[in-house]
Amino acid sequence: MLLMPNKDWHWEFNEAYGQLSISLGSEMEFLTPYKAKLLIPDALSNSEFCVEHAKFYIAMLERLPKILKLSDAAIVQTALNATAAHFLLKPQMPKSWFFETSNECVYSEVGKLFNLKCNGESVLVMVVDDSLQASTVMILSHNCQLTESKLLQQFDTIKVMHDRLQPMRRMPAKQVVAA
């Protein structure tokens, strides 16, 4: 069952875990992976899950099952994390040097899937914010090893220039497993 937003939903910073969360009513809280240092100042206090957030979240709920084989729980988790990333993360500078350049020009848009190639591995990502020359992407693969000491986990974000986005040749063969 997919969770639909209502007037009781709101963002709050969970001090116990040091992460952004969304209260889904009096008895349910969803914890995002996003720590304070990644968040805009407004995300560190209670704020409403506004109509714009709800529209983005619902668009993700509708799009995700069409592009990935996911359980309902994983769809909700991915959509909530994408919404948080789109609206509440600080802007990032591109870190394209970690990834191989693509041989093809792509059109980036929010919700679109791409691969990034890093250290010979292909990583599945989804665009959560885009601009003229770069996109902020959310890692959908289990992780992405950037260097020996730097690892991105599922749902972490990174901004890359569009020339690093590798087009999807076909739908991902394996199911994405949300944590």
Side-chain angles (χ1 to χ4, degrees):
M1 179 177 93
L2 299 176
L3 294 175
M4 296 308 289
N6 67 50
K7 63 180 176 53
D8 295 329
W9 285 24
H10 65 273
W11 300 105
E12 54 188 50
F13 187 76
N14 185 308
E15 295 289 344
Y17 290 97
Q19 293 170 242
L20 177 68
S21 69
I22 180 168
S23 174
L24 305 174
S26 61
E27 298 186 21
M28 194 171 4
E29 179 181 10
F30 174 80
L31 197 61
T32 74
Y34 308 119
K35 306 275 187 198
K37 68 180 182 176
L38 301 173
L39 301 170
I40 61 172
D42 287 350
L44 299 176
S45 59
N46 288 359
S47 59
E48 72 174 322
F49 192 87
C50 67
V51 172
E52 190 177 9
H53 299 172
K55 285 172 64 174
F56 185 92
Y57 169 73
I58 290 168
M60 289 292 110
L61 286 183
E62 292 171 351
R63 184 174 192 140
L64 286 167
K66 295 174 185 173
I67 58 176
L68 290 171
K69 182 180 177 185
L70 295 170
S71 68
D72 284 354
I75 290 169
V76 168
Q77 180 180 21
T78 304
L80 285 172
N81 283 326
T83 305
H86 183 79
F87 291 102
L88 300 171
L89 292 186
K90 288 178 184 174
Q92 301 179 31
M93 292 299 294
K95 295 184 178 87
S96 300
W97 59 84
F98 289 116
F99 306 101
E100 295 176 23
T101 304
S102 176
N103 294 327
E104 298 180 46
C105 183
V106 298
Y107 171 73
S108 175
E109 68 178 351
V110 173
K112 194 169 180 182
L113 296 181
F114 291 100
N115 282 313
L116 290 175
K117 290 187 181 173
C118 180
N119 300 318
E121 298 290 323
S122 187
V123 179
L124 182 63
V125 298
M126 181 176 71
V127 176
V128 292
D129 203 10
D130 66 331
S131 63
L132 188 59
Q133 295 180 337
S135 292
T136 302
V137 297
M138 184 171 68
I139 306 295
L140 294 181
S141 296
H142 183 65
N143 62 44
C144 175
Q145 190 77 45
L146 298 177
T147 66
E148 284 184 22
S149 61
K150 182 138 177 78
L151 177 75
L152 293 176
Q153 298 288 344
Q154 187 177 40
F155 303 122
D156 284 345
T157 62
I158 190 166
K159 189 171 190 174
V160 296
M161 301 302 287
H162 290 156
D163 68 349
R164 299 309 201 263
L165 299 172
Q166 309 276 341
M168 298 292 299
R169 294 285 170 239
R170 55 186 167 78
M171 295 300 285
K174 62 181 179 179
Q175 180 175 347
V176 173
V177 179

